[in-house]
Amino acid sequence: EVQLVQSGAEVKKPGESLKISCKGSGYTFTNYWIGWVRQTPGKGLEWMGIIYPGDSDTRYSPSFQGQVTISADKSISTAYLQWSSLKASDTAMYYCARSYSSSPPPDYWGQGTLVTVSS
Amino acid sequence: QSALTQPASVSGSPGQSITISCTGTSSDVGTYNLVSWYQQHPGKAPKLMIYEGIKRPSGVSNRFSGSKSGNTASLTISGLQAEDEADYYCCSYASSSAWVFGGGTKLTVL
């Protein structure tokens, strides 16, 4: 069974750093792309970027380029999304999702990680 | 403002059929046969219902079907059931930004 299991909810202060994770199982992790998607009540679902764990090829949405860093450790089948300095506007639900290529929309999604940034 | 346009809400009675539209441009829906539809219940992750515009993943009811005409993709749910009440999102590959999403449609089963 394909599963993407994300790390738990986080509460952070503005300016703090954060790294959340997404562990894949039930398939060959290095053969699929992992994308990150932000969901907020105001802006809905937004694609942030995508990584191919096989060779770490990474692409970012222009809206998120420079704001976040996407990485992966194929030895433990885990992808990451990190911030160096959080803002209140980063408060959202974040999903990882799998795709067989960099183009088609994803098939399986993680359960989501709620990030709350508040002073 | 979402890249793809969906109606904010639709409703129908049990047993009826409803259709949700998803309008994009020639840079996404109109050019690529890479439209997916997702069902999201409150507090849950999105679930794939339709991919490549018309295909159903294994395990998804055949009451769900997809189509496309020009820059508009559509999701039709026939024989509405109470469990179909959820938010539905379309997503397309876009040459400018990989995955672009619709704003979501809230389906109410009356």
Side-chain angles (χ1 to χ4, degrees):
Chain A
E1 179 195 6
V2 173
Q3 284 193 309
L4 295 172
V5 179
Q6 298 185 226
S7 49
E10 302 274 1
V11 179
K12 292 289 190 179
K13 291 181 167 37
E16 291 186 330
S17 63
L18 176 64
K19 192 174 189 177
I20 62 175
S21 66
C22 167
K23 183 174 177 60
S25 62
Y27 71 99
T28 303
F29 187 71
T30 50
N31 287 357
Y32 289 79
W33 294 73
I34 294 286
W36 288 93
V37 177
R38 183 172 78 176
Q39 185 170 33
T40 58
K43 293 188 176 182
L45 294 165
E46 299 172 276
W47 174 71
M48 303 176 70
I50 195 167
I51 187 167
Y52 186 68
D55 62 6
S56 292
D57 183 6
T58 307
R59 299 154 196 203
Y60 292 92
S61 161
S63 299
F64 292 91
Q65 178 85 48
Q67 309 303 308
V68 296
T69 301
I70 294 170
S71 60
D73 184 340
K74 60 185 179 182
S75 69
I76 54 172
S77 301
T78 301
Y80 301 97
L81 176 66
Q82 68 180 87
W83 296 259
S84 58
S85 181
L86 286 159
K87 301 184 281 286
S89 57
D90 293 318
T91 295
M93 179 70 81
Y94 293 88
Y95 291 100
C96 64
R98 183 192 85 155
S99 179
Y100 66 86
S101 173
S102 61
S103 303
D107 52 5
Y108 287 91
W109 295 62
Q111 85 278 17
T113 296
L114 180 62
V115 174
T116 304
V117 183
S118 174
S119 54
Chain B
Q1 208 76 0
S2 298
L4 306 179
T5 301
Q6 297 181 234
S9 63
V10 298
S11 62
S13 300
Q16 286 186 331
S17 295
I18 63 95
T19 297
I20 300 171
S21 62
C22 169
T23 301
T25 69
S26 57
S27 297
D28 39 65
V29 175
T31 295
Y32 303 100
N33 290 319
L34 293 174
V35 175
S36 291
W37 288 91
Y38 303 94
Q39 176 191 67
Q40 187 178 33
H41 286 110
K44 300 294 188 181
K47 174 188 175 185
L48 181 66
M49 306 303 284
I50 296 288
Y51 68 101
E52 294 178 8
I54 60 173
K55 299 178 181 179
R56 255 190 329 273
S58 173
V60 171
S61 170
N62 59 10
R63 297 185 299 105
F64 292 82
S65 62
S67 63
K68 190 183 92 166
S69 177
N71 293 338
T72 299
S74 298
L75 172 72
T76 297
I77 309 174
S78 59
L80 268 180
Q81 299 179 0
E83 68 217 46
D84 299 333
E85 186 162 294
D87 293 328
Y88 290 85
Y89 294 90
C90 61
C91 178
S92 174
Y93 172 72
S95 55
S96 61
S97 188
W99 307 338
V100 290
F101 292 92
T105 298
K106 181 176 181 60
L107 170 61
T108 301
V109 180
L110 302 169

